[in-house]
Amino acid sequence: MSTLYPQVNEARMALDLGGVWDFRFPGDEKWQPIAVPASYNDQSPDPRFRNHVGITEYRRKITIPKAWKGMRVCLRFDAAAHNARILLDGKEIAFHRGGFLPFEVELDGHLEPGQTAELTVETDNRINHTTLPIGTEGGVSFLGSDNPGIEAVEAGKKFQQERGVNRPAFDFFNYTGLQRPVRMIATPREFIRDITLVPSMDGTVRWSVETEGTGGEVRVEILDADGKAVSAGKGREGSLRVAEPHLWEPWPGTPYLYTARVTFGEDVYEQPFGIREVKVEGTRFLVNGKPFRFHGPCKHEDSPFHGRGMDNCLNVTDINLYHWMNANCFRTSHYPYAEEMYRLCDREGIVIVDETPAVGMWAEEPYGWNLADYHMQVLADMIARDKNHPCVVMWSLGNEPDTDTMPDAAYAYWHPLYEAAHRLDPQDRPVTVVGCQNKYGVEKVIRSMDVVLINRYYGWYNLSGDLEAAKYAFRMELDWWENQHKPLILSEYGADTIAGLHGAVAEMFTEEFQVAFYEMVSECLDERDFVVGEMPWNFADFSTCQGPMRVGGNRKGLFTRDRRPKMAAHWLRERWGKMQAD
Ligand code: GCB
């Protein structure tokens, strides 16, 4: 279901419900304070905040302003992780599945303007084979063991179920709660439900507008960046022409933004958009007809205190660090990010590969899990939310599924998603799914995508520390991909690095090794014309669940978690600066 990003204008209103709410775990009588939006996990030294598995309750009072009489009033959750039940004065009014996409709950029939009610949101962080991302019940030890006690625990028979342990089948902390803004919004009763824009480089803009109610005519007016009207049209569908259009170009070009001002009856919505085209041609990725080379680290939504909480200050800081590094892109590994980030990237010219939360589909025969319909729904919702962003240039259906154990079953699962993404996206962007280091000669999915995205850790997880051997193996694989005649992006590669750990000899975990690792991989990439991008793993150190491979989280950041550059950030900054100049 599409839901337009909340807007305040002459027709619409929005009240931010952020602040300090009440919060409690099941069985607790006492409520305690919790900040919204933010993950709840790092807001207290009580270990339950970090480790609790299951439902938690959020509570606050809400009042519809009397001045909103006669309007359609909704609660708008930008996301609630992972599943959420919404109650008003103890009565359930909505349930939403999935933790990374927005939903609206109409208050009509539940609450009148001028009335106050208690809003409760139950969020559920349980992950398993029916959720995206995926959780697993097994595997709490690193090495196998003949010890019967360990085996019993590993088999998931004891403790894990009793204590409700559900392990992420992915490498980031399972942050939860009301992590994105919550608002009360108001629109006229007859309103604009959705806007779709398909611009072309010649200045043609096709539009379609979905409305609720019949009264009134739809009008579309295009405003330039100074707010001056440059074109206009009428009707629910149509096409107009912007003369001598300014194109939206990735940084360091000008990411020029227009606004489509849509009116319908009493309602008004201003939708920003850019005029740009993306296309794959042979082994090239074209933006506005020109070859584009992706270079920028993958990200996470992750920071101290906030966890995965939406934080505009952090977003602006991060994007300014992308500019500083001469980076031009990132992938929203491994879930759709908060909408504010896409709006910022539209404005700043940072290109995004937009990823569904399908991560962790690598074990225990994922293609027997009955996930396909839900995955399809999440993909459709992500495309509906993000379709108008010029910064989004490619869809990623998921990260590192097992595609080689059962190649045919994997293809039967992923191909319909690939086709659906093309069908659902009005701008028909390229589609991919990110491949893990597997038997690339056997699997069939990754090579069937428009652009091949592969994550590789030669020299880290394999051939650890031996960069000469890693180079040999990586080159051999690149030879194979070259014969597939598709553009390729190295969508992850990296080395855990403890900031401040140095060595005259570049050994694993030192800053020197991280630089040597990037030197080695870059040398291999520079030899190949079909390589259209490099996305190091990761922009910054980030939190994961604890384990013997993780020292206070994943340390593959080019920056520390508090955004201080390691030596490799300086090295890549120089490399990308030269690339940018070419
Ligand atoms: C991967 C995953 C990413 C991990 C990374 C690592 O392949 O896609 O989520 O964090 O490797 O550091 O192991």
Side-chain angles (χ1 to χ4, degrees):
M1 203 253 294
S2 140
T3 143
L4 292 172
Y5 185 72
Q7 195 160 86
V8 179
N9 60 31
E10 68 262 46
R12 295 180 164 232
M13 314 218 231
L15 261 183
D16 186 357
L17 299 181
V20 177
W21 293 38
D22 291 339
F23 178 79
R24 71 178 178 190
F25 294 101
D28 284 3
E29 264 181 34
K30 199 169 157 278
W31 294 88
Q32 29 185 340
I34 203 83
V36 175
S39 308
Y40 64 71
N41 309 82
D42 293 346
Q43 293 191 44
S44 166
D46 175 349
R48 288 186 303 171
F49 281 72
R50 192 82 181 156
N51 299 328
H52 173 72
V53 174
I55 289 169
T56 49
E57 282 178 281
Y58 284 76
R59 179 182 84 168
R60 64 159 284 159
K61 292 246 188 306
I62 56 166
T63 309
I64 302 182
K66 273 193 186 153
W68 289 13
K69 208 167 170 29
M71 301 190 79
R72 169 185 174 262
V73 180
C74 296
L75 292 170
R76 208 262 190 188
F77 294 85
D78 290 9
H82 291 292
N83 293 339
R85 207 156 77 94
I86 318 297
L87 303 101
L88 215 54
D89 284 336
K91 184 174 144 242
E92 176 171 335
I93 57 168
F95 178 83
H96 185 260
R97 184 175 176 193
F100 298 96
L101 291 166
F103 58 98
E104 291 178 355
V105 183
E106 290 213 18
L107 289 179
D108 211 11
H110 301 298
L111 195 62
E112 294 297 312
Q115 277 182 348
T116 297
E118 188 175 87
L119 168 67
T120 307
V121 183
E122 292 178 1
T123 61
D124 186 348
N125 70 351
R126 275 172 292 186
I127 42 175
N128 52 43
H129 292 173
T130 69
T131 59
L132 295 175
I134 305 287
T136 167
E137 287 180 353
V140 287
S141 296
F142 184 50
L143 297 174
S145 165
D146 292 334
N147 176 309
I150 294 178
E151 272 178 10
V153 175
E154 285 289 325
K157 304 272 178 336
K158 274 206 156 323
F159 302 119
Q160 294 189 59
Q161 282 165 6
E162 285 158 24
R163 292 195 204 135
V165 173
N166 55 344
R167 303 276 302 176
F170 47 86
D171 182 37
F172 49 91
F173 192 78
N174 186 28
Y175 279 119
T176 331
L178 294 178
Q179 307 180 120
R180 295 187 186 162
V182 182
R183 301 174 179 91
M184 198 192 299
I185 60 172
T187 63
R189 286 217 172 266
E190 302 211 327
F191 65 99
I192 300 161
R193 200 178 264 294
D194 196 18
I195 299 169
T196 303
L197 299 167
V198 185
S200 311
M201 277 163 67
D202 65 1
T204 310
V205 181
R206 281 193 291 121
W207 81 82
S208 75
V209 175
E210 217 183 286
T211 57
E212 200 58 49
T214 47
E217 187 178 48
V218 172
R219 286 170 177 272
V220 180
E221 195 177 29
I222 306 296
L223 311 176
D224 69 11
D226 298 322
K228 201 172 118 245
V230 290
S231 189
K234 278 185 209 168
R236 282 185 173 68
E237 274 181 21
S239 123
L240 48 75
R241 190 71 189 270
V242 175
E244 294 172 43
H246 300 281
L247 299 184
W248 185 94
E249 293 172 334
W251 187 89
T254 307
Y256 193 96
L257 288 178
Y258 289 92
T259 300
R261 186 179 152 86
V262 180
T263 53
F264 164 66
E266 297 287 299
D267 199 11
V268 180
Y269 193 87
E270 296 199 338
Q271 177 67 51
F273 72 101
I275 298 182
R276 64 105 187 80
E277 285 180 27
V278 290
K279 181 154 99 191
V280 170
E281 211 175 70
T283 56
R284 296 185 310 169
F285 192 99
L286 304 178
V287 177
N288 297 333
K290 287 186 260 169
F292 179 74
R293 200 173 188 291
F294 295 79
H295 52 268
C298 293
K299 277 186 106 293
H300 261 300
E301 289 185 318
D302 176 277
S303 72
F305 311 116
H306 300 249
R308 188 147 292 122
M310 202 293 286
D311 176 352
N312 275 318
C313 172
L314 180 78
N315 286 351
V316 170
T317 305
D318 282 0
I319 293 308
N320 281 330
L321 288 173
Y322 271 66
H323 290 331
W324 176 84
M325 267 207 293
N326 301 305
N328 64 7
C329 69
F330 63 87
R331 171 165 63 110
T332 67
S333 35
H334 294 304
Y335 37 81
Y337 287 5
E339 289 147 281
E340 288 75 11
M341 189 50 139
Y342 300 75
R343 297 169 74 83
L344 183 61
C345 289
D346 283 345
R347 175 176 170 169
E348 292 300 295
I350 299 294
V351 159
I352 286 179
V353 178
D354 205 3
E355 187 157 283
T356 77
V359 55
M361 294 183 60
W362 45 260
E364 302 151 51
E365 304 191 352
Y367 304 112
W369 289 351
N370 201 13
L371 254 180
D373 289 348
Y374 175 53
H375 194 162
M376 196 67 91
Q377 186 58 50
V378 170
L379 175 69
D381 288 352
M382 177 177 89
I383 293 175
R385 189 192 72 161
D386 296 339
K387 64 190 170 188
N388 289 322
H389 287 290
C391 67
V392 174
V393 300
M394 185 160 27
W395 307 111
S396 162
L397 304 172
N399 182 67
E400 297 196 339
D402 178 345
T403 54
D404 60 348
T405 312
M406 295 178 289
D408 291 324
Y411 188 83
Y413 183 91
W414 291 97
H415 191 66
L417 288 163
Y418 168 86
E419 286 188 320
H422 276 295
R423 198 173 55 242
L424 292 165
D425 178 13
Q427 295 188 7
D428 198 19
R429 294 161 176 89
V431 177
T432 194
V433 57
V434 176
C436 63
Q437 195 146 352
N438 59 10
K439 295 187 196 130
Y440 50 86
V442 170
E443 74 83 45
K444 299 174 177 172
V445 173
I446 304 304
R447 73 181 76 163
S448 71
M449 296 290 140
D450 299 322
V451 183
V452 169
L453 265 71
I454 55 170
N455 299 343
R456 293 296 181 264
Y457 288 92
Y458 292 106
W460 188 257
Y461 292 122
N462 323 83
L463 306 171
S464 310
D466 187 343
L467 295 180
E468 273 310 304
K471 194 191 319 187
Y472 175 86
F474 185 39
R475 276 186 172 145
M476 194 182 260
E477 178 170 358
L478 286 175
D479 285 344
W480 191 87
W481 284 111
E482 194 146 22
N483 285 325
Q484 304 306 308
H485 309 294
K486 294 224 164 162
L488 178 140
I489 296 175
L490 186 60
S491 42
E492 278 184 31
Y493 58 116
D496 284 87
T497 304
I498 308 298
L501 185 68
H502 290 283
V505 177
E507 288 202 330
M508 292 172 81
F509 294 101
T510 63
E511 294 204 31
E512 285 78 3
F513 182 84
Q514 195 181 24
V515 171
F517 177 92
Y518 282 115
E519 280 172 348
M520 178 278 287
V521 178
S522 303
E523 189 186 326
C524 300
L525 298 178
D526 289 345
E527 296 162 354
R528 316 275 171 159
D529 285 339
F530 75 105
V531 172
V532 298
E534 54 193 59
M535 298 183 156
W537 189 258
N538 185 286
F539 167 65
D541 293 347
F542 60 89
S543 187
T544 63
C545 73
Q546 58 186 329
M549 306 255 283
R550 296 288 174 258
V551 188
N554 187 310
R555 300 298 192 107
K556 294 192 188 70
L558 301 171
F559 292 79
T560 58
R561 201 174 185 218
D562 63 351
R563 278 43 177 180
R564 293 171 197 274
K566 301 179 191 172
M567 276 167 54
H570 291 280
W571 190 84
L572 283 165
R573 177 182 189 222
E574 209 179 307
R575 169 177 169 78
W576 291 341
K578 281 188 207 136
M579 229 175 232
Q580 209 72 82
D582 287 348

